[in-house]
Amino acid sequence: MQSDIECVLFDGPAIHKRLDEMAAQITADYSDRELTVIAILTGSLMFMSDLLRRIPLPLKLDCLSVVSYHGKTQTRGDVIFKQLAVPDVAGQDVLILDDVLDTGDTLAAVRKKLETAYPRSIRVCVLLSKRKQRARDVDADYVGFEIEDEFVVGYGLDFMERYRNLPYVGVLRKELLEQQNQ
Ligand code: IMP
Ligand code: MG
């Protein structure tokens, strides 16, 4: 696995240090409210688990399973929800967690779906945000790290469902991406 990684962007200690800061910010922002966290599976699992354990507030946690990539590195633009039911978030302060903001299709679709359930507020928190032009007007309220528009894996992020268990975020070697896209 290690030999498939071109370079490590953020190692475990760097990620944990940044999560300390993000958790402190979120804790301060929601100190007088009860949070409802909606984590988007599967990529946000490690991020969710490490971030939430740093937030000493009463909160509820639910997960949404969403497919947007179909195993490839290029997004198709359509987002498929694996559950039909919308979580009951009426009147609640929702924080959506995802691994990476790329095209924004996933977060835009999740946000739109949750809005139909009349939450009191919705904010978005991502570990990574790619520096790129997005067709959609989506933004994250909390961002761990800004990265270039490169394909990264590890710490929950996958390529063809692999590499999620790497303890760091790294850039996948381009040859591996090219083989898949042929
Ligand atoms: P978006 O809908 O294009 O913003 O992409 C969101 C989803 O695509 C993320 O939740 C990831 O599952 C996946 N994704 C986007 N970029 C990457 C990447 O660089 N590595 C791994 N997965 C990615
Ligand atoms: Mg993925």
Side-chain angles (χ1 to χ4, degrees), residues 60-104:
K60 294 195 280 188
L61 171 63
D62 206 345
C63 296
L64 271 184
S65 199
V66 168
V67 183
S68 61
Y69 256 56
H70 308 276
K72 301 257 168 119
T73 54
Q74 298 299 312
T75 182
R76 265 180 24 170
D78 50 350
V79 175
I80 300 159
F81 287 84
K82 291 198 187 165
Q83 303 97 322
L84 291 177
V86 183
D88 179 14
V89 293
Q92 298 179 28
D93 290 300
V94 172
L95 185 65
I96 303 171
L97 293 190
D98 203 1
D99 52 359
V100 53
L101 178 56
D102 183 15
T103 63

Side-chain angles (χ1 to χ4, degrees), residues 23-180:
Q25 182 69 57
I26 293 166
T27 304
D29 290 353
Y30 289 90
S31 59
D32 52 351
R33 291 185 267 169
E34 191 190 59
L35 253 179
T36 298
V37 175
I38 306 277
I40 303 178
L41 296 178
T42 305
S44 72
L45 268 182
M46 317 288 173
F47 175 46
M48 171 195 74
S49 153
D50 285 344
L51 181 73
L52 296 189
R53 279 180 290 174
R54 289 171 161 77
I55 299 179
L57 293 177
L59 61 79
K60 294 195 280 188
L61 171 63
D62 206 345
C63 296
L64 271 184
S65 199
V66 168
V67 183
S68 61
Y69 256 56
H70 308 276
K72 301 257 168 119
T73 54
Q74 298 299 312
T75 182
R76 265 180 24 170
D78 50 350
V79 175
I80 300 159
F81 287 84
K82 291 198 187 165
Q83 303 97 322
L84 291 177
V86 183
D88 179 14
V89 293
Q92 298 179 28
D93 290 300
V94 172
L95 185 65
I96 303 171
L97 293 190
D98 203 1
D99 52 359
V100 53
L101 178 56
D102 183 15
T103 63
D105 288 338
T106 305
L107 283 167
V110 169
R111 203 185 172 114
K112 198 167 143 211
K113 192 166 175 106
L114 291 175
E115 272 164 2
T116 65
Y118 303 106
R120 187 163 95 144
S121 67
I122 299 187
R123 283 189 189 164
V124 171
C125 174
V126 290
L127 177 69
L128 306 171
S129 174
K130 293 191 187 178
R131 276 190 208 102
K132 66 196 287 181
Q133 289 279 332
R134 290 184 237 285
R136 292 177 185 279
D137 183 23
V138 278
D139 218 350
D141 302 277
Y142 304 96
V143 175
F145 304 98
E146 298 247 358
I147 60 169
E148 296 309 318
D149 190 9
E150 294 182 302
F151 200 83
V152 295
V153 294
Y155 195 68
L157 291 112
D158 74 301
F159 172 58
M160 302 290 290
E161 297 303 328
R162 306 249 166 74
Y163 307 101
R164 292 195 198 276
N165 55 325
L166 289 174
Y168 53 79
V169 173
V171 179
L172 194 66
R173 279 180 34 223
K174 304 273 179 303
E175 308 91 89
L176 294 164
L177 296 177
E178 280 152 18
Q179 279 167 21
Q180 174 56 33

